[in-house]
Amino acid sequence: MRPPIEPYDHGMLDTGDGNLIYWEVCGNPDGKPALVVHGGPGSGCSTGVRRTFDPERYRIVLFDQRNCGRSRPHASDPATDLSRNTTQHLIADMELLREHLGIGKWLLYGGSWGSTLILAYAETHPERVSEIVIPAVTTTRRSEIDWLYRGVGRFFPEAWDRFRDGVPEADRDGDLLAAYARLLSDPDDKVREKAAVDWITWEDAVISMEANGKPNAYSDRPADAIMAMTRICSHYFSNGAWLEEGVLLREAGRLAGIPGVLIHGRLDMGGPPQTAWELAKAWPGAELIMVEDSGHTGSDTMRNAILAAIDRFADR
């Protein structure tokens, strides 16, 4: 990674519906525009990701998606209404930010949930995208969500039982994620806090076997960040991210002409390589790099592949 850098510009973008979106720009004001799209949903954008790009060659734009990170209102407050936080709202926010910054086209970079949002945006506005780099490919199909919060439990049965038992008994054989969404919006602080811990403990279990990853990558965050992320995750995933099942793969032909590099860990338990493989076949011109020593949270090999892809596109 490159040395730390600080933004030369930042602000709060008013979406016009009561939301303020935090954004910042680093690097070279005359460089190639690139947008960092964070995961979660609801994780907020880390300052470390700025170092993924060469600051002499890139104009690096970062933003916190609705109701997380430095955006306001924050989802850790139970009074914050999430009804205006959907995939379609986030796509509109990205377009508003692009227009606000006077950018014609930008490279899109992000993984996990970020990859779903990148694909949804790019298939809606392909003319606004120069290239795409995605580590940890997801399309947030209901089948992928079901694997992450139920199917992968066959590898972690003790942890999954604890996750299931975090909701009322009547909900345990039904829609677990909708039950968690209700608990995480409960007016009682203790109910919300327990649900957030139960959810994040499951997320940590899924990545616990990643030899080259970061242990406790999800729970090693401030309490308000965990609350926002778990609340937004349950909100999105219990609603299938408001995407028609399989639509991002079916519409991948819209990405023809946009160079893409997909970088996926062979050992990704939460997001098995199948989705990355399917996307690479459906997207004309996409390159798939399978990283043999990486899970969902990465490895040195994966980080090197990301840096190489981004550097390759810097002068394009």
Side-chain angles (χ1 to χ4, degrees):
M1 285 292 187
R2 298 176 174 90
I5 56 172
E6 293 299 319
Y8 67 78
D9 195 11
H10 69 278
M12 300 292 278
L13 184 69
D14 189 339
T15 65
D17 62 2
N19 280 276
L20 296 172
I21 306 301
Y22 175 83
W23 60 269
E24 64 182 37
V25 189
C26 309
N28 182 351
D30 298 317
K32 181 187 183 77
L35 179 69
V36 175
V37 184
H38 69 68
S43 72
C45 210
S46 73
T47 56
V49 76
R50 301 168 183 163
R51 301 163 62 191
T52 307
F53 296 82
D54 181 346
E56 299 297 322
R57 300 158 81 193
Y58 275 103
R59 180 185 180 192
I60 312 151
V61 182
L62 301 90
F63 76 110
D64 289 326
Q65 294 161 30
R66 289 187 176 214
N67 309 128
C68 71
R70 292 148 289 186
S71 293
R72 293 294 180 266
H74 202 259
S76 59
D77 180 351
T80 296
D81 177 16
L82 297 185
S83 66
R84 289 189 294 274
N85 190 337
T86 69
T87 303
Q88 290 70 33
H89 285 97
L90 300 186
I91 291 170
D93 293 346
M94 291 162 69
E95 263 300 271
L96 193 64
L97 179 58
R98 184 191 62 75
E99 292 169 356
H100 176 72
L101 296 175
I103 292 170
K105 280 189 172 189
W106 45 13
L107 177 149
L108 302 180
Y109 168 74
S112 195
W113 158 254
S115 83
T116 294
L117 183 52
I118 282 171
L119 294 168
Y121 173 89
E123 290 178 14
T124 305
H125 301 288
E127 73 285 356
R128 299 303 181 189
V129 182
S130 57
E131 301 89 11
I132 294 173
V133 178
I134 294 175
V137 178
T138 73
T139 65
T140 315
R141 288 174 291 182
R142 285 162 179 80
S143 58
E144 294 170 51
I145 297 167
D146 186 67
W147 170 260
L148 177 56
Y149 294 103
R150 190 177 294 273
V152 75
R154 68 194 65 182
F155 292 98
F156 308 100
E158 310 95 324
W160 191 79
D161 274 7
R162 287 194 297 271
F163 178 64
R164 180 199 59 201
D165 292 349
V167 305
E169 190 170 354
D171 294 316
R172 289 175 191 169
D173 293 324
D175 190 338
L176 280 180
L177 306 191
Y180 267 103
R182 290 192 294 272
L183 293 172
L184 286 159
S185 295
D186 195 278
D188 187 325
D189 289 353
K190 288 186 172 55
V191 171
R192 291 199 312 280
E193 288 164 9
K194 181 181 183 302
V197 168
D198 289 341
W199 182 288
I200 214 74
T201 300
W202 169 248
E203 298 278 8
D204 275 348
V206 174
I207 61 166
S208 62
M209 290 171 57
E210 299 191 0
N212 291 308
K214 179 186 173 188
N216 306 318
Y218 298 109
S219 60
D220 189 18
R221 301 168 188 238
D224 63 340
I226 289 174
M227 181 61 70
M229 180 176 163
T230 54
R231 192 175 169 213
I232 294 170
C233 276
S234 61
H235 171 62
Y236 268 75
F237 296 154
S238 62
N239 285 288
W242 298 272
L243 293 169
E244 187 182 322
E245 183 71 354
V247 67
L248 298 181
L249 288 173
R250 281 198 309 279
E251 296 293 323
R254 292 181 58 78
L255 305 175
I258 302 173
V261 180
L262 311 176
I263 306 165
H264 203 89
R266 177 80 70 187
L267 309 177
D268 191 333
M269 296 289 287
Q274 183 68 30
T275 296
W277 179 254
E278 291 173 351
L279 179 60
K281 291 200 294 184
W283 175 356
E287 174 190 356
L288 174 61
I289 299 171
M290 200 68 74
V291 183
E292 301 297 335
D293 72 346
S294 180
H296 195 73
T297 57
S299 67
D300 287 344
T301 311
M302 178 176 274
R303 283 183 281 278
N304 289 336
I306 292 167
L307 291 173
I310 287 173
D311 283 349
R312 190 200 322 167
F313 288 143
D315 298 319
R316 184 178 172 275

